[in-house]
Amino acid sequence: MSETEQTKQTSTTGSTAGGNTTNDEVWIVGASGRVGRAVTARLAARGLTVVPVGRSRERMVAAWADAGLPAATKVVVADSAERIADEIVRDRPRVVVNTMGSFAATAPVIARACMSGGGHYVDQANDVAAVQALLALHDEAVRAGSILVTGAGFGVLATEAVVAKLCEDRPAPHRVRVDAAASVAVEAGLLGAALAASIVDVLTTGGRRYEHGRLVTSRLGADPQQLAFPDGESAKTAGVSSGELVAAQAVSGAPFVIATSALVPTAAPVRALLPLLGRLLSVPALRRLAVDRLARVRAKATPRPRRHSWGHAVVEWTDGTRREGWLRAGDGMDFTADVTAAVTEQLARGTARPGAWTPAAALGAELATAAGGTFVLG
Ligand SMILES: NC(=O)c1ccc[n+]([C@@H]2O[C@H](COP(=O)([O-])OP(=O)(O)OC[C@H]3O[C@@H](n4cnc5c(N)ncnc54)[C@H](OP(=O)(O)O)[C@@H]3O)[C@@H](O)[C@H]2O)c1
C-alpha cells in the first residue's frame, strides 16, 4: 500500500541531472526512526524542503511534532522499498535519504528509483554486502548524473577520512588497519527491527579482511586489542566485517586491510562462541526469531560510555614508513546524523561528481570536520 498526502504543490524547478528534472524535495525514508528523526531535524533547520516517508503516518507525524517542527506539508506513506521506489519514480525528489535499514536489499531498489529521475541518494549502510551493492551502481549513476553515497555514518567516514588524510600525496600503502570506537548514548525505548537485523547480520556474516587485494573470510572477533585513545580513555576492539573495511581498501588501494570495532564482544569465552552463534542464526527460522526478539528489547536511557567517539587508522608502506591518525567526534549517533545531513545538503546542491561513493570519496576527507569531527594526526 502506498499513498501520498500532499497539501501543497511542489516545484519541479530543481536540478536537471542526466537530462531529467527533479523537484526541490529531500525525502527521509524511515522518518519516524532514530536516524530518520535526527536527520529530519537537522535538514529542516538548514531550510531544506523535507518530506517524511514511512509506513505509519501517525508515527511520522508524532516524530515530526516531537522535533518541534511545523506540520509537514506532504507525507508519503508506503510500506516497502518497492512501493517507496514507485513514489520516487513518480514524484522525483532531488535527494532521498534511506534510513529504513536492511540496506543490502533496500538500497539498490531505492537508489535505482532515484537515478530514474536524475536524483541523488544517501544511506548509513555499514555492512560489506550493502556497501558493495551500492558501489556496484557507479556506472549507472554516472550515466544518470546521480550521486549515490553509502556509509554516511560514524564508522565508515570516521575511519576512511583518516586513511585518506594519511595517504594524501603518497603511493598506495601495503597494509591498513582501521578501528571504529563509537561512544553512543542509548535512548529509552524498543531496539527496533532495523537495528536488530543489523546486529544479527554481523553475527551471521562472520569476519572479513583483505589479503593480496582480495576480500577473504576471517573470524569475527579476530585481532582483539586494547586501544588507548589520545584523550587517555581506552576501549577494546576486535575484527568485524564492515563497510569500514571496504571503504579503507577503496580509499588506500592497499592489498592488506583489516577493520576492528568496539561493538564486537572481546571477552575470550564470548569470542569463542561467535562462530557457532553465527551458524545458528543463519538458519532462516532462527534468524527471524532472533530479530523479532531483539527488536522487542526495551533499552533503558544510558549516557554514552566515553567522552568521545574515535576513528583510528594505521597505514604502513613497503619501505617501512608507518603513519597513524585519529578522528575525534562526540556521540557516535549524533555524528552519524551530522554526516548524513552534511552529505544530503551538498547533494541537494549537486556539489559532487556523479557516481556511487563512500562519503569521503564523494566529498573529501574534510567532510568529517564539516560534520563536527577533529583530526588528530601523527
Ligand atoms: N552507519 C552508521 O553509523 C549507523 C548508525 C546508526 C544506525 N545505522 C543503521 O541505520 C538503520 C536505521 O537505524 P535506526 O536506529 O534509525 O532504526 P529505527 O529506529 O528502527 O528506524 C527505522 C525506520 O525505518 C522505517 N521502516 C522500517 N521498515 C519499513 C518498511 N518496510 N517500510 C517503510 N518504512 C520502514 C521505520 O518505520 P516504523 O516507525 O514504522 O517502524 C523507522 O522509521 C539500521 O540499519 C541501523 O543499523 C547505521
Side-chain angles (χ1 to χ4, degrees):
M1 181 195 69
S2 68
E3 59 178 291
T4 304
E5 178 188 277
Q6 192 169 0
T7 55
K8 183 187 85 171
Q9 285 296 314
T10 52
S11 67
T12 51
T13 56
S15 68
T16 52
N20 292 307
T21 305
T22 59
N23 62 37
D24 64 353
E25 295 168 356
V26 173
W27 285 20
I28 311 288
V29 176
S32 58
R34 269 176 296 254
V35 177
R37 280 181 277 129
V39 172
T40 297
R42 282 159 173 79
L43 292 176
R46 292 171 191 216
L48 294 171
T49 308
V50 185
V51 174
V53 183
R55 58 190 165 186
S56 160
R57 174 182 289 111
E58 292 69 32
R59 282 195 290 275
M60 289 190 281
V61 168
W64 199 267
D66 284 351
L69 299 170
T73 52
K74 174 176 173 179
V75 176
V76 178
V77 180
D79 61 5
S80 70
E82 288 72 17
R83 289 179 176 128
I84 291 164
D86 290 344
E87 299 290 330
I88 292 167
V89 169
R90 201 174 59 204
D91 279 15
R92 297 187 169 187
R94 187 173 304 166
V95 188
V96 175
V97 182
N98 177 13
T99 77
M100 74 183 284
S102 300
F103 294 113
T106 65
V109 174
I110 295 178
R112 281 210 165 91
C114 294
M115 287 191 279
S116 74
H120 312 308
Y121 170 90
V122 189
D123 71 36
Q124 304 76 32
N126 197 18
D127 61 281
V128 166
V131 170
Q132 285 187 326
L134 206 278
L135 296 182
L137 301 180
H138 183 78
D139 293 346
E140 275 180 65
V142 171
R143 282 195 296 277
S146 293
I147 309 159
L148 316 179
V149 177
T150 185
F154 171 76
V156 171
L157 182 61
T159 50
E160 72 163 346
V162 178
V163 176
K165 281 281 195 193
L166 296 177
C167 292
E168 243 167 32
D169 304 322
R170 286 168 178 256
H174 182 60
R175 198 173 287 280
V176 171
R177 173 181 187 133
V178 289
D179 310 296
S183 181
V184 175
V186 177
E187 65 177 52
L190 297 179
L191 199 65
L195 191 52
S198 298
I199 293 168
V200 171
D201 284 346
V202 167
L203 292 167
T204 54
T205 305
R208 294 287 185 280
R209 59 171 64 207
Y210 283 92
E211 283 181 4
H212 304 286
R214 291 168 58 91
L215 190 64
V216 297
T217 305
S218 67
R219 201 184 161 95
L220 178 62
D223 310 300
Q225 64 175 346
Q226 183 79 30
L227 200 56
F229 305 128
D231 64 358
E233 292 192 288
S234 69
K236 287 180 177 161
T237 71
V240 65
S241 169
S242 65
E244 285 107 90
L245 182 68
V246 177
Q249 204 284 327
V251 76
S252 67
F256 292 87
V257 185
I258 62 173
T260 78
S261 165
L263 298 176
V264 180
T266 49
V270 183
R271 281 199 304 120
L273 284 175
L274 290 177
L276 174 64
L277 195 56
R279 279 198 295 280
L280 284 173
L281 292 175
S282 299
V283 178
L286 291 180
R287 182 187 191 281
R288 276 196 299 277
L289 187 69
V291 171
D292 187 56
R293 287 282 162 85
L294 253 184
R296 291 163 199 243
V297 168
R298 188 168 287 281
K300 278 195 309 193
T302 316
R304 64 183 195 250
R306 295 177 300 279
R307 215 159 3 126
H308 297 120
S309 297
W310 292 96
H312 177 234
V314 178
V315 181
E316 294 169 322
W317 283 264
T318 44
D319 66 0
T321 308
R322 181 183 186 276
R323 295 193 71 196
E324 180 174 7
W326 300 85
L327 185 91
R328 186 181 67 228
D331 182 279
M333 187 60 119
D334 289 343
F335 186 74
T336 290
D338 287 331
V339 171
T340 296
V343 170
T344 305
E345 193 178 23
Q346 295 210 38
L347 298 202
R349 284 200 244 109
T351 52
R353 276 172 302 149
W357 315 98
T358 52
L363 295 160
E366 297 309 330
L367 175 67
T369 49
T374 305
F375 287 106
V376 183
L377 300 175

